[in-house]
Amino acid sequence: MEYQETKKTKLAFKSNKRKASSGSDKPKRKSKSSLHRSKPIVDSTPSRTWVPISSESDLSGPLVFYHSDTTIHALSLSSLDSSSLIAFYPQPSATIEDVEPSRVEQVFVGRVSVPGNNDINARRSFKSCRGLYVSAGQDGSVECGAAAIGALEMWTPVLVQDCEQKGAVALKMCLPGSDDVRYLSIAAHDPNEPGTHVEANAHATSIGPRQTFIAKHQANRSLQT
C-alpha cells in the first residue's frame, strides 16, 4: 500500500503566542488630519489554538493526547534522548480546559491509513516529530519507533460518549492474526505521587478511565480588537 506524505502544518505553542513581530523600519508618523479620519481596526487574522476534538475527522492533523486525573499527563516522547520511549508526562499547573502542548515531542500527526464509513471506524496512524509511528507490540508494549506503517501502527479511535469532558477518545488496536483487541492505556499509578513519567501500554481489553484520553487539535480562531 502506498502512503502519501503528511501535509506540513505550522504548530502553535503556548510559549510563542505572545511573541510580537519586530522590524527595522520605524513607523511613519501620521498627521493630525489622518488620525481623525482613522477608522476602528478589526483584526480578523486567523490564530491557531488547541481545542478538544468533536468528531473522528478532527483526528487528522496535529494532535495532543491528555489523561486527566488529579494530575494531567500528556502522551509524549522523551525530550532528553532520541529513543523510541513514549510515555505520559505530567503537566504542572494546568487544567484540562487550558492545557496546550509545550514542546513538539507532545504532538502527533494523525492520518487515515485504512478508510472507514465517513471516518467512523477508520484506522489511523500517529506520526511523531521524529518521523516515526506510535505502535503496539503483541506483548502489550507501546513505543514510537516504527519507520513505516503496518498493522501494529494502525489504531481505531473510539469516541467516549459518556465522558463529562469534551474530546474524550480511546485508541483501539486490533492485533493481527487474532480477534483480540487492546486499548492504549496509562499504567496504574498514584495520581497524588509526583513522578517523571507514567508508562504507556496496550494491555487493556476494554475501555475504562485509564483508557480514556482528551484529544486536542488545532483550529482557527478569529481575533477582534
Side-chain angles (χ1 to χ4, degrees):
M1 183 178 295
E2 182 180 355
Y3 300 98
Q4 299 177 350
E5 290 294 329
T6 303
K7 183 179 180 181
K8 294 183 179 179
T9 304
K10 186 176 181 181
L11 299 177
F13 294 96
K14 181 175 286 187
S15 60
N16 61 23
K17 279 188 176 180
R18 296 183 178 180
K19 289 184 180 179
S21 60
S22 60
S24 58
D25 294 334
K26 294 183 179 179
K28 294 182 179 179
R29 187 175 182 179
K30 294 183 179 180
S31 64
K32 292 183 179 180
S33 59
S34 64
L35 289 174
H36 288 296
R37 293 195 301 268
S38 298
K39 295 181 179 180
I41 298 175
V42 177
D43 183 4
S44 59
T45 303
S47 175
R48 304 293 283 177
T49 186
W50 294 88
V51 298
I53 65 164
S54 58
S55 67
E56 285 87 350
S57 60
D58 291 338
L59 289 162
S60 293
L63 300 163
V64 284
F65 296 95
Y66 297 105
H67 183 262
S68 179
D69 207 321
T70 305
T71 301
I72 297 174
H73 289 80
L75 184 66
S76 177
L77 295 171
S78 171
S79 61
L80 302 179
D81 56 54
S82 58
S83 69
S84 60
L85 174 66
I86 185 171
F88 290 93
Y89 290 80
Q91 305 300 291
S93 304
T95 64
I96 194 61
E97 289 78 17
D98 63 17
V99 65
E100 294 186 0
S102 57
R103 49 193 177 88
V104 72
E105 288 86 0
Q106 298 173 1
V107 179
F108 299 88
V109 178
R111 62 165 302 170
V112 174
S113 297
V114 178
N117 182 15
N118 294 327
D119 278 336
I120 298 176
N121 293 324
R123 298 170 71 184
R124 282 178 162 79
S125 60
F126 299 99
K127 189 176 184 179
S128 75
C129 61
R130 298 173 187 161
L132 302 175
Y133 295 91
V134 179
S135 60
Q138 294 280 4
D139 59 354
S141 60
V142 173
E143 60 179 18
C144 189
I149 302 172
L152 293 174
E153 288 70 49
M154 292 188 286
W155 302 81
T156 303
V158 179
L159 298 187
V160 182
Q161 304 292 349
D162 58 351
C163 183
E164 295 180 356
Q165 296 167 332
K166 296 179 179 179
V169 65
L171 296 180
K172 180 173 69 174
M173 170 62 64
C174 298
L175 296 179
S178 71
D179 295 330
D180 292 342
V181 297
R182 297 287 187 271
Y183 292 89
L184 178 69
S185 307
I186 182 171
H189 63 286
D190 184 350
N192 297 312
E193 183 70 24
T196 56
H197 65 268
V198 181
E199 178 192 67
N201 63 55
H203 295 307
T205 58
S206 60
I207 300 174
R210 290 194 290 110
Q211 292 74 44
T212 301
F213 306 99
I214 305 302
K216 290 189 175 184
H217 72 121
Q218 281 196 305
N220 285 332
R221 176 179 59 186
S222 294
L223 301 178
Q224 291 188 349
T225 59

